[in-house]
Amino acid sequence: MSDRGHKGELGAVPADTQPAAWQRYCQLLRARAPHERLAQAIALTRAARELAIAGINQRYPNANHDEVRLRLAELLYGILWARRPGPTR
């Protein structure tokens, strides 16, 4: 039986990753200091956000800054949250 899809130390082993490689990745993460893990998480979040914005800009090349922000909010939080009435963002 394959270990893929089963819960490991940090969640399910990704389908495209060998279980031994995932286990090693988990060990490397645990060996890092908390501030290093936080910095990595922040960097990955920023990279994902930049990729999302690039995709929006590619799909909507004439979108202004506010429209890009709105579409990003829809992507991240859903249309109901992004289009809710409220203070100017």
Side-chain angles (χ1 to χ4, degrees):
M1 179 174 190
S2 172
D3 289 335
R4 292 193 178 104
H6 290 80
K7 288 284 187 178
E9 296 175 44
L10 291 179
V13 176
D16 64 347
T17 305
Q18 292 294 321
W22 182 249
Q23 186 176 32
R24 179 68 178 136
Y25 175 71
C26 294
Q27 290 171 345
L28 291 171
L29 281 180
R30 279 194 313 274
R32 298 183 81 178
H35 71 277
E36 292 173 324
R37 291 194 306 266
L38 177 60
Q40 182 179 10
I42 291 168
L44 290 170
T45 299
R46 284 183 180 152
R49 185 174 293 261
E50 289 172 12
L51 285 171
I53 291 170
I56 292 167
N57 284 325
Q58 186 175 20
R59 286 188 299 279
Y60 305 97
N62 297 321
N64 63 28
H65 177 74
D66 289 337
E67 184 178 351
V68 171
R69 286 183 58 199
L70 179 62
R71 290 186 182 279
L72 179 63
E74 288 176 0
L75 181 64
L76 295 175
Y77 308 114
I79 194 166
L80 295 177
W81 184 91
R83 298 195 182 263
R84 79 189 194 299
T88 305
R89 293 182 228 339

